[in-house]
CSV table of all heavy atoms in Angstrom, one decimal:
chain,number,residue,atom,x,y,z
A,116,ALA,N,6.5,-47.4,6.9
A,116,ALA,CA,7.9,-47.4,6.9
A,116,ALA,C,8.4,-45.9,6.8
A,116,ALA,O,9.3,-45.4,7.4
A,116,ALA,CB,8.5,-48.2,5.8
A,117,ALA,N,7.7,-45.2,5.9
A,117,ALA,CA,8.0,-43.7,5.7
A,117,ALA,C,7.9,-42.9,7.0
A,117,ALA,O,8.5,-41.9,7.2
A,117,ALA,CB,7.2,-43.2,4.6
A,118,LEU,N,7.0,-43.4,7.9
A,118,LEU,CA,6.8,-42.7,9.1
A,118,LEU,C,7.6,-43.2,10.3
A,118,LEU,O,7.5,-42.8,11.4
A,118,LEU,CB,5.3,-42.8,9.5
A,118,LEU,CG,4.3,-42.2,8.6
A,118,LEU,CD1,2.9,-42.5,9.0
A,118,LEU,CD2,4.5,-40.7,8.5
A,119,GLY,N,8.5,-44.2,10.0
A,119,GLY,CA,9.3,-44.8,11.0
A,119,GLY,C,8.6,-45.7,11.9
A,119,GLY,O,9.1,-46.1,13.0
A,120,LEU,N,7.4,-46.2,11.5
A,120,LEU,CA,6.7,-47.1,12.4
A,120,LEU,C,7.1,-48.5,12.2
A,120,LEU,O,7.2,-49.3,13.1
A,120,LEU,CB,5.2,-47.0,12.0
A,120,LEU,CG,4.5,-45.7,12.3
A,120,LEU,CD1,3.1,-45.6,11.7
A,120,LEU,CD2,4.5,-45.4,13.8
A,121,VAL,N,7.5,-48.8,10.9
A,121,VAL,CA,8.0,-50.2,10.6
A,121,VAL,C,9.3,-49.9,9.8
A,121,VAL,O,9.5,-48.8,9.3
A,121,VAL,CB,7.0,-51.1,9.8
A,121,VAL,CG1,5.7,-51.1,10.5
A,121,VAL,CG2,6.8,-50.6,8.4
A,122,GLU,N,10.1,-51.0,9.6
A,122,GLU,CA,11.2,-50.9,8.7
A,122,GLU,C,11.6,-52.2,8.1
A,122,GLU,O,11.2,-53.3,8.6
A,122,GLU,CB,12.4,-50.3,9.5
A,122,GLU,CG,13.0,-51.2,10.5
A,122,GLU,CD,14.0,-50.5,11.4
A,122,GLU,OE1,14.2,-49.3,11.3
A,122,GLU,OE2,14.6,-51.2,12.2
A,123,ASP,N,12.2,-52.1,6.9
A,123,ASP,CA,12.7,-53.3,6.2
A,123,ASP,C,13.7,-54.0,7.0
A,123,ASP,O,14.6,-53.3,7.6
A,123,ASP,CB,13.3,-52.9,4.9
A,123,ASP,CG,12.3,-52.4,3.9
A,123,ASP,OD1,11.1,-52.8,4.0
A,123,ASP,OD2,12.6,-51.7,3.0
A,124,ARG,N,13.7,-55.3,7.1
A,124,ARG,CA,14.7,-56.1,7.7
A,124,ARG,C,15.3,-57.0,6.6
A,124,ARG,O,14.8,-57.0,5.5
A,124,ARG,CB,14.2,-56.9,8.9
A,124,ARG,CG,13.7,-56.1,10.1
A,124,ARG,CD,14.8,-55.4,10.8
A,124,ARG,NE,14.3,-54.4,11.8
A,124,ARG,CZ,13.9,-54.7,13.0
A,124,ARG,NH1,13.9,-55.9,13.4
A,124,ARG,NH2,13.5,-53.7,13.8
A,125,SER,N,16.3,-57.8,7.0
A,125,SER,CA,16.9,-58.6,6.0
A,125,SER,C,16.0,-59.7,5.5
A,125,SER,O,15.0,-60.0,6.1
A,125,SER,CB,18.2,-59.3,6.6
A,125,SER,OG,17.8,-59.9,7.8
A,126,ALA,N,16.3,-60.2,4.3
A,126,ALA,CA,15.5,-61.3,3.7
A,126,ALA,C,14.0,-61.0,3.5
A,126,ALA,O,13.2,-61.9,3.8
A,126,ALA,CB,15.7,-62.6,4.5
A,127,GLY,N,13.7,-59.8,3.1
A,127,GLY,CA,12.3,-59.4,2.8
A,127,GLY,C,11.4,-59.4,4.0
A,127,GLY,O,10.2,-59.5,3.9
A,128,ARG,N,12.0,-59.3,5.2
A,128,ARG,CA,11.1,-59.3,6.4
A,128,ARG,C,10.9,-57.8,6.9
A,128,ARG,O,11.6,-56.9,6.5
A,128,ARG,CB,11.8,-60.1,7.6
A,128,ARG,CG,12.0,-61.5,7.1
A,128,ARG,CD,12.5,-62.5,8.2
A,128,ARG,NE,12.2,-63.8,7.6
A,128,ARG,CZ,11.1,-64.5,7.8
A,128,ARG,NH1,10.1,-64.0,8.5
A,128,ARG,NH2,10.9,-65.6,7.2
A,129,TYR,N,9.9,-57.7,7.8
A,129,TYR,CA,9.6,-56.4,8.4
A,129,TYR,C,9.7,-56.4,9.9
A,129,TYR,O,9.4,-57.5,10.5
A,129,TYR,CB,8.2,-55.9,8.0
A,129,TYR,CG,8.1,-55.5,6.6
A,129,TYR,CD1,7.6,-56.4,5.6
A,129,TYR,CD2,8.4,-54.2,6.2
A,129,TYR,CE1,7.5,-56.0,4.3
A,129,TYR,CE2,8.2,-53.8,4.9
A,129,TYR,CZ,7.8,-54.7,3.9
A,129,TYR,OH,7.7,-54.3,2.6
A,130,GLY,N,10.2,-55.3,10.4
A,130,GLY,CA,10.3,-55.2,11.9
A,130,GLY,C,9.8,-53.8,12.3
A,130,GLY,O,9.4,-53.0,11.4
A,131,LEU,N,9.8,-53.6,13.6
A,131,LEU,CA,9.3,-52.2,14.0
A,131,LEU,C,10.4,-51.2,13.7
A,131,LEU,O,11.6,-51.5,13.9
A,131,LEU,CB,9.1,-52.2,15.6
A,131,LEU,CG,7.9,-53.0,16.1
A,131,LEU,CD1,7.8,-52.9,17.6
A,131,LEU,CD2,6.6,-52.4,15.5
A,132,GLY,N,10.0,-50.0,13.3
A,132,GLY,CA,10.9,-48.9,13.2
A,132,GLY,C,11.0,-48.2,14.6
A,132,GLY,O,10.3,-48.6,15.5
A,133,PRO,N,11.8,-47.2,14.7
A,133,PRO,CA,12.0,-46.6,16.1
A,133,PRO,C,10.7,-46.0,16.6
A,133,PRO,O,10.4,-46.2,17.8
A,133,PRO,CB,13.1,-45.5,15.8
A,133,PRO,CG,13.3,-45.5,14.4
A,133,PRO,CD,12.7,-46.7,13.7
A,134,ALA,N,10.0,-45.3,15.8
A,134,ALA,CA,8.7,-44.7,16.3
A,134,ALA,C,7.7,-45.9,16.7
A,134,ALA,O,7.1,-45.8,17.7
A,134,ALA,CB,8.1,-43.8,15.3
A,135,GLY,N,7.7,-46.9,15.8
A,135,GLY,CA,6.8,-48.0,16.1
A,135,GLY,C,7.1,-48.7,17.4
A,135,GLY,O,6.3,-49.2,18.2
A,136,ALA,N,8.5,-48.9,17.7
A,136,ALA,CA,8.9,-49.6,18.9
A,136,ALA,C,8.4,-48.8,20.1
A,136,ALA,O,8.0,-49.4,21.1
A,136,ALA,CB,10.4,-49.7,18.9
A,137,VAL,N,8.6,-47.5,20.1
A,137,VAL,CA,8.1,-46.7,21.2
A,137,VAL,C,6.6,-46.8,21.4
A,137,VAL,O,6.2,-47.0,22.6
A,137,VAL,CB,8.5,-45.2,21.0
A,137,VAL,CG1,7.9,-44.3,22.1
A,137,VAL,CG2,10.0,-45.0,21.0
A,138,ILE,N,5.9,-46.7,20.4
A,138,ILE,CA,4.4,-46.7,20.5
A,138,ILE,C,3.9,-48.1,20.9
A,138,ILE,O,3.1,-48.2,21.8
A,138,ILE,CB,3.8,-46.3,19.1
A,138,ILE,CG1,4.1,-44.8,18.8
A,138,ILE,CG2,2.3,-46.5,19.2
A,138,ILE,CD1,3.8,-44.4,17.4
A,139,ALA,N,4.5,-49.1,20.3
A,139,ALA,CA,4.1,-50.5,20.6
A,139,ALA,C,4.3,-50.8,22.1
A,139,ALA,O,3.6,-51.7,22.7
A,139,ALA,CB,4.8,-51.5,19.7
A,140,ALA,N,5.3,-50.2,22.7
A,140,ALA,CA,5.6,-50.5,24.1
A,140,ALA,C,4.8,-49.6,25.1
A,140,ALA,O,5.0,-49.7,26.3
A,140,ALA,CB,7.1,-50.3,24.3
A,141,ASP,N,4.0,-48.7,24.6
A,141,ASP,CA,3.3,-47.7,25.5
A,141,ASP,C,1.8,-47.9,25.5
A,141,ASP,O,1.1,-47.4,24.6
A,141,ASP,CB,3.8,-46.3,25.1
A,141,ASP,CG,3.3,-45.3,26.1
A,141,ASP,OD1,2.3,-45.5,26.7
A,141,ASP,OD2,4.0,-44.2,26.2
A,142,PRO,N,1.2,-48.6,26.5
A,142,PRO,CA,-0.2,-48.8,26.5
A,142,PRO,C,-1.0,-47.5,26.4
A,142,PRO,O,-2.1,-47.4,25.9
A,142,PRO,CB,-0.5,-49.5,27.8
A,142,PRO,CG,0.8,-49.9,28.4
A,142,PRO,CD,1.9,-49.1,27.7
A,143,GLY,N,-0.5,-46.4,27.1
A,143,GLY,CA,-1.2,-45.1,27.1
A,143,GLY,C,-1.3,-44.5,25.7
A,143,GLY,O,-2.3,-44.1,25.3
A,144,LEU,N,-0.2,-44.6,25.0
A,144,LEU,CA,-0.2,-44.1,23.6
A,144,LEU,C,-1.1,-44.9,22.7
A,144,LEU,O,-1.9,-44.3,21.9
A,144,LEU,CB,1.2,-44.1,23.0
A,144,LEU,CG,2.1,-42.9,23.0
A,144,LEU,CD1,3.4,-43.2,22.4
A,144,LEU,CD2,1.4,-41.8,22.3
A,145,LEU,N,-1.1,-46.2,22.9
A,145,LEU,CA,-2.0,-47.1,22.0
A,145,LEU,C,-3.4,-46.7,22.3
A,145,LEU,O,-4.2,-46.6,21.4
A,145,LEU,CB,-1.7,-48.5,22.3
A,145,LEU,CG,-0.3,-49.0,21.8
A,145,LEU,CD1,0.0,-50.4,22.4
A,145,LEU,CD2,-0.3,-49.1,20.3
A,146,ALA,N,-3.8,-46.6,23.6
A,146,ALA,CA,-5.2,-46.2,23.9
A,146,ALA,C,-5.5,-44.9,23.3
A,146,ALA,O,-6.6,-44.7,22.8
A,146,ALA,CB,-5.4,-46.3,25.4
A,147,MET,N,-4.6,-43.9,23.4
A,147,MET,CA,-4.9,-42.6,22.9
A,147,MET,C,-5.1,-42.6,21.4
A,147,MET,O,-6.0,-42.0,20.9
A,147,MET,CB,-3.7,-41.7,23.3
A,147,MET,CG,-3.9,-40.2,22.9
A,147,MET,SD,-2.6,-39.2,23.7
A,147,MET,CE,-1.7,-38.7,22.3
A,148,ILE,N,-4.3,-43.3,20.7
A,148,ILE,CA,-4.4,-43.4,19.3
A,148,ILE,C,-5.8,-44.0,18.9
A,148,ILE,O,-6.5,-43.5,18.0
A,148,ILE,CB,-3.2,-44.3,18.7
A,148,ILE,CG1,-1.9,-43.5,18.8
A,148,ILE,CG2,-3.5,-44.6,17.2
A,148,ILE,CD1,-0.7,-44.4,18.7
A,149,SER,N,-6.2,-45.0,19.6
A,149,SER,CA,-7.5,-45.7,19.3
A,149,SER,C,-8.6,-44.7,19.5
A,149,SER,O,-9.6,-44.6,18.8
A,149,SER,CB,-7.7,-46.9,20.1
A,149,SER,OG,-6.8,-47.9,19.6
Side-chain angles (χ1 to χ4, degrees):
L118 297 174
L120 297 169
V121 310
E122 65 188 8
D123 290 334
R124 297 286 170 85
S125 51
R128 301 189 163 269
Y129 286 94
L131 288 177
V137 171
I138 295 168
D141 188 330
L144 263 180
L145 291 167
M147 183 167 113
I148 291 159
S149 292

